[in-house]
Amino acid sequence: DSGVTQTPKHLITATGQRVTLRCSPRSGDLSVYWYQQSLDQGLQFLIQYYNGEERAKGNILERFSAQQFPDLHSELNLSSLELGDSALYFCASSPQGVSHNSPLHFGNGTRLTVT
Amino acid sequence: DAKTTQPTSMDCAEGRAANLPCNHSTISGNEYVYWYRQIHSQGPQYIIHGLKNNETNEMASLIITEDRKSSTLILPHATLRDTAVYYCIVRVLGSGNTPLVFGKGTRLSVIA
């Protein structure tokens, strides 16, 4: 158990809809990272937050947004969903500021299916 | 981040050592080598990381060449549960933790 909790585990929704994925980082971790893994793309970095502020941005679509709340949990919002958004979405966390060697620890993901 | 090159797939007999190579010929002096694995759509699992010295933990050993241009992850006694995709990643450490950039990794199949 990595200590990173993601909910829900599975989500099925229709095209055009909006969903919210939730991530609770490991206790004490200040950084949260979101990744998308689809069958043909591998693990793609989307966005990183540190202590409530956006720190780095990757291949995140404009239809997607994220935020990190004062209690350090994070949400990834996906809107105007398309069939191609079907994927596994992973959240990871790391302490940052404690050690620059800190590895990321991943949750077990949310499987999103858009029909 | 520097790019890495790994074989697409490897097989290993159960109980034998699995040696997974990784080339990172353009690695910079402030980049660490990290290894992760992903077992069948679960979240990636951290294995080990190092800068220039060999490292060992309860899961594996990491051997980094003296010129740091390549490394080998060693699973000393592979079991069926070690079947997974293994990712070698180089990551810059600086003023703040940076995201991991995953490549395609090596699919290791442990065979009974």
Side-chain angles (χ1 to χ4, degrees):
Chain A
D1 181 11
S2 68
V4 178
T5 303
Q6 291 189 246
T7 57
K9 286 186 171 50
H10 302 276
L11 199 48
I12 301 175
T13 189
T15 54
Q17 295 298 305
R18 172 189 169 95
V19 297
T20 297
L21 313 183
R22 183 187 168 101
C23 170
S24 293
R26 295 192 319 161
S27 177
D29 284 1
L30 301 179
S31 263
V32 169
Y33 308 74
W34 286 97
Y35 285 80
Q36 178 192 53
Q37 186 174 35
S38 50
L39 277 175
D40 57 348
Q41 292 292 329
L43 276 155
Q44 299 287 318
F45 167 67
L46 296 178
I47 197 163
Q48 175 196 358
Y49 278 82
Y50 169 66
N51 205 20
E53 295 191 359
E54 184 182 305
R55 176 59 63 95
K57 220 167 188 176
N59 302 320
I60 189 166
L61 299 172
E62 286 190 9
R63 299 183 286 110
F64 296 179
S65 65
Q67 54 184 327
Q68 186 179 27
F69 294 86
D71 67 353
L72 301 178
H73 91 271
S74 178
E75 293 181 356
L76 179 67
N77 300 296
L78 315 176
S79 61
S80 303
L81 284 167
E82 302 174 358
L83 295 177
D85 297 327
S86 295
L88 278 165
Y89 291 85
F90 291 105
C91 169
S93 72
S94 68
Q96 186 157 351
V98 175
S99 165
H100 286 178
N101 297 345
S102 303
L104 276 63
H105 293 275
F106 286 78
N108 275 326
T110 293
R111 182 178 293 279
L112 173 66
T113 302
V114 182
T115 61
Chain B
D1 287 359
K3 292 186 179 178
T4 62
T5 304
Q6 299 179 251
T8 302
S9 63
M10 294 180 63
D11 292 338
C12 178
E14 189 178 21
R16 305 297 293 268
N19 297 285
L20 293 95
C22 179
N23 286 322
H24 30 79
S25 59
T26 59
I27 193 170
S28 301
N30 64 342
E31 289 181 316
Y32 283 70
V33 180
Y34 283 75
W35 283 84
Y36 279 74
R37 72 180 182 184
Q38 188 175 25
I39 299 171
H40 188 56
S41 297
Q42 295 179 19
Q45 179 187 23
Y46 166 75
I47 301 173
I48 200 167
H49 74 279
L51 181 63
K52 55 183 178 181
N53 297 320
N54 298 338
E55 302 286 347
T56 295
N57 62 20
E58 65 280 3
M59 288 183 68
S61 294
L62 173 60
I63 309 298
I64 302 174
T65 58
E66 193 169 343
D67 63 7
R68 302 210 321 124
K69 291 185 177 182
S70 66
S71 60
T72 301
L73 178 75
I74 301 172
L75 307 178
H77 305 286
T79 71
L80 297 178
R81 286 189 285 186
D82 292 322
T83 293
V85 178
Y86 287 76
Y87 298 97
C88 169
I89 302 164
V90 293
R91 182 186 185 210
V92 174
L93 276 306
S95 57
N97 286 356
T98 53
L100 295 169
V101 178
F102 287 82
K104 295 189 184 301
T106 296
R107 184 173 296 277
L108 175 69
S109 298
V110 180
I111 303 165

